[in-house]
Amino acid sequence: MTTGETVVAGLGGDLRGDDAAGLAVARLLGDPPPPGVAVEACGDAAALVEAWSGAALAIVVDAVRTGAPPGTVHDRLPSLPEAGWHAGWHGGTHSLGLVDAVGLGRALGRLPGELVVVGIEGGDFTPGAPMTPPVLAAVHRTARELRERLTRERPGARRR
């Protein structure tokens, strides 16, 4: 990662139903990526730390369980690393998640300049299950909205 870039990283596991939401957003957003934005699909905390290393801004998309209806997009979370941001927040079912990546990144001195989290509320994390319809709809909506935002807000972009 080149210092100063923006990276969007999707976190999750493909084989556990709605847990694949972050990965699916990254795949949609990365085909092709917005200009000046690196897009990564990360299956674990170590890959996430590598993806955001040196970035000015990292946006991480992950499946979460907060008790909200499946498909709810949580995009008003405080920027990290603010203490206590994850109280009541549980990532999907992958073994090492975002909290682990923040801890690892902090220990290695490899946190991005700003870290923003977008959570997509999952409903079914059963091994082998497909993504549920409300989560799949949220994946498409989130990828579209991130593309629009990142294209509009990149340096030198024309404002609409």
Side-chain angles (χ1 to χ4, degrees), residues 6 20 52 87 109:
T6 296
W52 73 34

Side-chain angles (χ1 to χ4, degrees), residues 116-131:
V116 175
V117 178
V118 177
I120 298 176
E121 189 76 29
D124 185 357
F125 295 92
T126 304
M131 264 191 281

Side-chain angles (χ1 to χ4, degrees), residues 57-95:
L57 170 64
I59 300 171
V60 177
V61 184
D62 195 9
V64 298
R65 291 181 289 180
T66 68
T72 300
V73 178
H74 305 278
D75 60 358
R76 301 279 187 254
L77 299 173
S79 296
L80 298 179
E82 291 181 16
W85 72 270
H86 51 76
W89 179 273
H90 305 284
T93 57
H94 36 276
S95 58

